Amino acid sequence: MSEPKLVVEGLKKYFPIRRGITEALTFKPPRYVKAVDGISFEVFEGDVFCLVGESGCGKTTTGRLIVRLIEATDGRMRYKVSEELKNQIPEDLLQDGKYVDLLGKLPKNVDKALRKDTQIIFQDPYGSLNPRMTLKDILNEPLQVHNIGASESERLEIIHRALSEVKLTPPEEFVDRYPHMLSGGQRQRVAIARAIILNPSLVVADEPVSMLDVSIRAEILQLMLDLKAARNLSYVFITHDLAVANYICNRIAVMYLGKIVEMGITDKVIGNPQHPYTQALVAAVPEPDPKNRLRIKEVPIKGEIPSAANIPSGCRLHPRCPYAMDICSKEEPPMVEVEKDHYVSCWLHTKK
Amino acid sequence: MSFIARVYAGLSWLRREVLSQFSGKVAIALLVAIVAVSIYAAATMPSNYNVIWNYPLYWEANPKNSPPEWSTYFGTTCLTNQVYDLRTATPRISVDEEGRVRLTYNMTYTLDVKSYPRALILIVDSMTIPANVRNVRVLNTIVKPDGKQIQVFDDLVDFTKNVTAGSFKFTQTFRPELDKIYNSLLLNYINYNIDPNDVGVNYLSYIFGEITQPDPKSTARTTYLTGRYVISLTLDFRVEGVAQELLLRSIKNAARFEYVVVGTCYGLMGTDYQGRDLAMGLLYGFPIALLIGLGTALMSTGLGLLAGMVSGYYGGFIDEFIQRFIDVLGSIPLLPILILVAAAAQTAFGADPNKPVLMLLTILGVLVLFGWGGLAIVVRSMTLSIKSELYVEAAKSIGASNFRILIKHILPQLVPYIAASLVYSTPNAILTEAGLSVLGIYHGLPTWGGILAEARTQGRVEYWWWIFPPGLLIAITSLTFVLLGLALEKVVEPRLRR
Ligand SMILES: Nc1ncnc2c1ncn2[C@@H]1O[C@H](COP(=O)(O)OP(=O)(O)OP(=O)(O)O)[C@@H](O)[C@H]1O
Ligand code: SF4
Ligand SMILES: [Mg+2]
């Protein structure tokens, strides 16, 4: 088995809530939105690791933490560096000879090199491309920032290659276009080209197809899988669509209110969900087989997801969980391995 | 290359958009005219213009408070200013046996309207007097159309005390001498009761008028006398050794050597209380106004842009600091501050020869200091919203520096807005400077506001040629920029377009 590319331990992100004047004057303690509240997982080399969950459960925040767009409140994020990158990193930053803690203090050049190695594809291809830049400018930016290509013409060559790789051909026809001259799918291809043009080894894809027309989703997903195979990438793939996750991921983590509730090999988690929340998610997926349609209502989950600013005590699901017990509202359930490569955090599965 | 091409494409797009609106067309036409005049004025402006403007001798031969010459078409009796440049005239030369060199200039002056000239004056400016010239006698007589001859002045200037080492520069103005005039009147008009007091006040009417006395007991009176006058000026040099050539050359090379029959109208735009040519002041006011307006607008826009971008992008303490600073600035009333600062500057720069420039710079400095806050607030909020755009995050995840993001992603979006704001704020400084000048905070530079301010303190209501043109120019220039700003704003903010 391959080695973990990324080891996340106890990762937290709390966003402070702006206090009102009365709160500030009465010295109430500052309140936080606990968007990500202590999650741990491993992404292995060559993995497509999925993060699934309802809206607002902290998937995007996790993704942005991984590519360090925001600073973590707490936790560790160890990243395995490639052989060539290793030379640029001082000895004392390396753990086990190949891991760097992305959340630690990094020298500027190391930080830049690591940013080059981890890229992100955003959910919204309409917002992620500057409308005032041509595709050439958009794809040139990463090259300029990292001083890739000796000359403008050499860079143009790299840009052409990247465009061909994402099937925007012939590239000459696309380089001078502005984003508004492209369809949503084409835009997302540009965003993908921008992510891979720096030759990263880990790409975070935040719901890359959820804003696209259903007819082209499969194409884009296939493109991503092709690129992964061709370039030896690892993906952290964020989605709220279990069908997509089932199609693309080999490992999956289900999040609920900033916590991972179930995690493991995709087939095991989706095929045999153990956590009541996962069971509800799986049940909500429309069954192609009409005979099985009735199963949808088997695990009813009551009500709405609570706000991340106001997290229930104990197991976060307990106000909505049909199996809730006394202990559920008092203590948080630990993560236990229910079978090989299948972990669940629920008191139902903890042998007391 | 492609960058230049893109800028050019952007500009031509902007021009097309602006020109597609009526206000834009008017604004561009006016702007082109203003800029063209400014360039012409700046190119022809004498380098010591500021000094000339405040140097009374330079304007001495001009009529004071005079309307422009074309006002004659609106019923004003106009006597044009007649200047005889004697440097280029050929004098009659005679040398007597004692070595005196006598130069005689004869000028004809045709008085064709019923009016008297305002003054007579001979100006000698920086005429090199050779070392061996001991003195000069300057003699001026006028022969009236009726043949009567009046002596205007007769002066003997002694050079012996000046000419110590070699030559020296001779500068003097000669004016009519009342006793000489009175004496020649007595000689010419025997049996007339000429009142010496009246000659003292209205001597020009005795020189350029017909003197009548209906009966022997009454006093003599004057009426207009049109016709041909012969003015003759004699310079009688006492020279040791003949140096005729040298003298003629130094006359040619004098800065000024003019005989002026001062009229009642002057030039294209008239004159002010010191006889200064308002056409000159107004013309050279163009580049000065543009400089004041654009300079101040550029600086306050630049400051606002910088502060707004830093404030919005970096946030935190620096943002808080800048915003509170703007609040403080905004709560200070500008006008009292300007008056205070200007009063302080008035005394502080009291002795400095560059006081007018320093005063103006101080006023503009205060305007800049107080002028950037509003823009900074708008730029900050725009920066805040652009900063959270996904493509900025994308650039960050690539590893782009803050500076790169500010320049490549944020600034280009602010540029159209900044351009409109720049254009809009250009008239601010021009108007404020004019307003302050009129309020008495006057720096002494020949700006339109300065001319207007002096019209208020030194002029009278009926001096329309002095009051309206600068006011009108200020208004038109401001209007140009406001119209342009309006047109630009509609381009920048498409929601305003109908
Ligand atoms: N910059 C921020 N400041 C404050 N709160 C934030 C910020 N970003 C996210 N949050 C909050 O953190 C929580 C998690 O947000 P996140 O965007 O990670 O959810 P998500 O799982 O990606 O949801 P979706 O499926 O809707 O994209 C939400 O409650 C959100 O309001
Ligand atoms: S711990 Fe309790 S409340 Fe939470 S999911 Fe399991 S049974 Fe439901
Ligand atoms: Mg999200």
Side-chain angles (χ1 to χ4, degrees), chain A residues 15-16 33 35 53-62 64 123 206-207 240 308:
Chain A
F15 294 107
V33 173
E54 280 173 284
S55 178
C57 68
K59 306 183 296 290
T60 297
T61 306
T62 307
R64 301 206 312 150
Q123 176 176 9
D206 182 6
E207 312 204 28
H240 57 255

Side-chain angles (χ1 to χ4, degrees), chain A residues 275-277 315-318 321 323-325 328 333 345-348:
Chain A
H275 195 279
Y277 180 66
C315 171
R316 296 163 188 230
L317 190 65
H318 83 259
C321 179
Y323 312 112
M325 305 165 277
C328 296
S345 160
C346 169
W347 286 120
L348 290 174

Side-chain angles (χ1 to χ4, degrees), chain B residues 104-142:
Chain B
T104 308
Y105 295 87
N106 279 329
M107 301 157 261
T108 54
Y109 177 72
T110 312
L111 186 62
D112 48 12
V113 291
K114 289 196 181 328
S115 178
Y116 303 120
R118 287 259 187 92
L120 295 170
I121 187 165
L122 172 69
I123 296 178
V124 182
D125 187 359
S126 307
M127 185 185 287
T128 311
I129 301 297
N132 54 356
V133 178
R134 298 188 63 83
N135 61 36
V136 64
R137 185 171 167 215
V138 186
L139 195 108
N140 178 210
T141 55
I142 293 179

